[in-house]
Amino acid sequence: MSRPRLARHVRLSFDSTRQRPILLLPETVVVLNDTGAAILERCDGQRTVAEIEESLAREFRTVPEGEVPRFLAGLVARRCVELADG
């Protein structure tokens, strides 16, 4: 199972001006919605994608099917998230 984690050059933060969670990349800032931030907070390289989905489902009661893998796939393509097999 894949265990997502933020790439070394990426940092999850909070922008006090925008009052929004953000993803900091070299020379780029990505403003996140609350769902995106919740997913990325769980990308610690220890939890699998399935465990992240389960955690979100416990916290928010419902998680649309396929939302987490779809979101992470986009960030993997942009090299913001890395998948470690484990």
Side-chain angles (χ1 to χ4, degrees):
M1 286 279 233
S2 295
R3 299 176 188 278
R5 66 173 178 245
L6 293 178
R8 284 188 227 188
H9 64 280
V10 176
R11 190 166 54 99
L12 184 60
S13 189
F14 186 81
D15 184 327
S16 58
T17 302
R18 293 180 178 106
Q19 291 296 300
R20 304 291 314 153
I22 58 173
L23 200 56
L24 296 170
L25 295 88
E27 301 181 21
T28 305
V29 173
V30 177
V31 179
L32 299 167
N33 63 22
D34 292 336
T35 304
I39 293 169
L40 290 175
E41 287 169 355
R42 291 163 170 80
C43 291
D44 56 8
Q46 302 300 311
R47 294 179 243 207
T48 65
V49 173
E51 290 169 336
I52 291 170
E53 287 177 310
E54 290 170 14
S55 172
L56 291 168
R58 280 193 304 272
E59 185 173 339
F60 298 108
R61 299 185 189 235
T62 60
V63 176
E65 189 173 328
E67 180 177 353
V68 173
R70 211 173 13 259
F71 178 75
L72 291 174
L75 290 174
V76 167
R78 292 178 66 185
R79 298 182 182 184
C80 296
V81 170
E82 299 170 342
L83 299 176
D85 292 324

